[in-house]
Amino acid sequence: RSPHRPNNIGLSLVKITGIDEKRKRLHIAALDLVNGTPVYDIKPVVPWDIPGHFDDQKLSVPDWVSQDDALSTVTFTPEAESELERLVRYKKLAPLYTIESNSLDDAKEAIKEVLAQDPRAAKKRGKVDGSIPDPYKVSFGSIQVEFVVVDKEKVEVVGMSEMRLDDATYVDGVPLAKDGTMA
C-alpha cells in the first residue's frame, strides 16, 4: 500500500490478544488498519520465514505449521545412492551439485530434507500402506526421486532417474507431468 500503487488490500502482522468463541471474534493488537476495515483472511505466522525476528518471543503456532520433520529417518538403497552419484557425476544437478565441488553429500542431504517433510498428498501423510506400495515420485532439480514410506517415521529412497525436460510444457517455470512421467 503506497500512494504510488494504491491498493485497498493490506497485509499486517498482528498479535492475537484474545479469542471470544461465543461471539466468534478475535481480538488483535499492533495492526495498521483504519477502524472498520474488513479482514479477509488470517494466517499463522511461520517463524522461520523471518529468521532472527522472533528469537526473543514465545510464539504459539498450530501443529500443522510446526517445522518438525514428519519422517525422521531417510535412507537410500545402494542402487539409489549409486544412481545419485552417477547423476551428479554427469552434471544432472549442476550447477548446485557437482563432483568437482564435492557436493554429492550436499545433494543427498537436500533430498533427505525434502523427503523428511513427507511430500506425499495430504490424505497419505502420516500413514503407511499395508503392503509394499508403488514408489512415490517427486522431482528434485532435473531428476525424479522414487521413495517408499517404510513405517511412520522412515522413508527409503529406492530409485532415481533423469527427467527428459527438452520438450516439457512449463507453467510458472515448473515442468508438467504427462501420464505420470515427466515429458
Side-chain angles (χ1 to χ4, degrees):
R1 298 181 304 181
S2 86
H4 307 292
R5 286 183 320 210
N7 187 344
N8 295 331
I9 297 177
L11 179 67
S12 296
L13 179 62
V14 300
K15 178 179 182 179
I16 297 176
T17 57
I19 299 173
D20 183 345
E21 290 184 33
K22 184 177 179 182
R23 295 176 62 201
K24 298 183 179 177
R25 295 185 184 233
L26 287 177
H27 299 272
I28 56 178
L31 64 154
D32 61 349
L33 303 175
V34 176
N35 192 22
T37 301
V39 175
Y40 290 103
D41 196 11
I42 299 170
K43 297 200 178 350
V45 68
V46 182
W48 49 91
D49 278 351
I50 312 170
H53 184 76
F54 299 105
D55 288 348
D56 59 345
Q57 300 174 35
K58 180 173 176 4
L59 295 178
S60 295
V61 295
D63 290 341
W64 56 270
V65 176
S66 169
Q67 193 177 7
D68 296 337
D69 290 340
L71 300 163
S72 59
T73 305
V74 179
T75 60
F76 288 69
T77 63
E79 297 82 11
E81 199 159 344
S82 175
E83 187 61 14
L84 176 60
E85 184 176 352
R86 187 190 72 76
L87 291 164
V88 170
R89 183 174 310 284
Y90 287 103
K91 302 182 187 292
K92 301 304 177 185
L93 290 174
L96 292 177
Y97 307 108
T98 64
I99 291 294
E100 294 80 18
S101 65
N102 293 321
S103 57
L104 176 61
D105 289 338
D106 293 340
K108 188 174 175 182
E109 192 59 35
I111 291 169
K112 283 182 175 183
E113 288 178 15
V114 168
L115 296 181
Q117 296 300 315
D118 199 354
R120 298 177 297 164
K123 65 182 181 179
K124 294 281 191 178
R125 288 188 199 129
K127 297 178 182 168
V128 179
D129 297 321
S131 61
I132 303 294
D134 289 333
Y136 295 98
K137 298 174 183 175
V138 65
S139 60
F140 181 78
S142 63
I143 66 173
Q144 183 169 274
V145 178
E146 297 181 18
F147 66 97
V148 294
V149 177
V150 178
D151 62 40
K152 288 188 176 199
E153 295 184 2
K154 184 179 179 186
V155 63
E156 184 171 47
V157 178
V158 295
M160 293 192 198
S161 59
E162 178 183 359
M163 294 186 298
R164 299 179 317 276
L165 300 175
D166 299 335
D167 298 327
T169 301
Y170 288 81
V171 174
D172 294 332
V174 177
L176 295 179
K178 295 182 184 177
D179 300 325
T181 61
M182 297 307 292

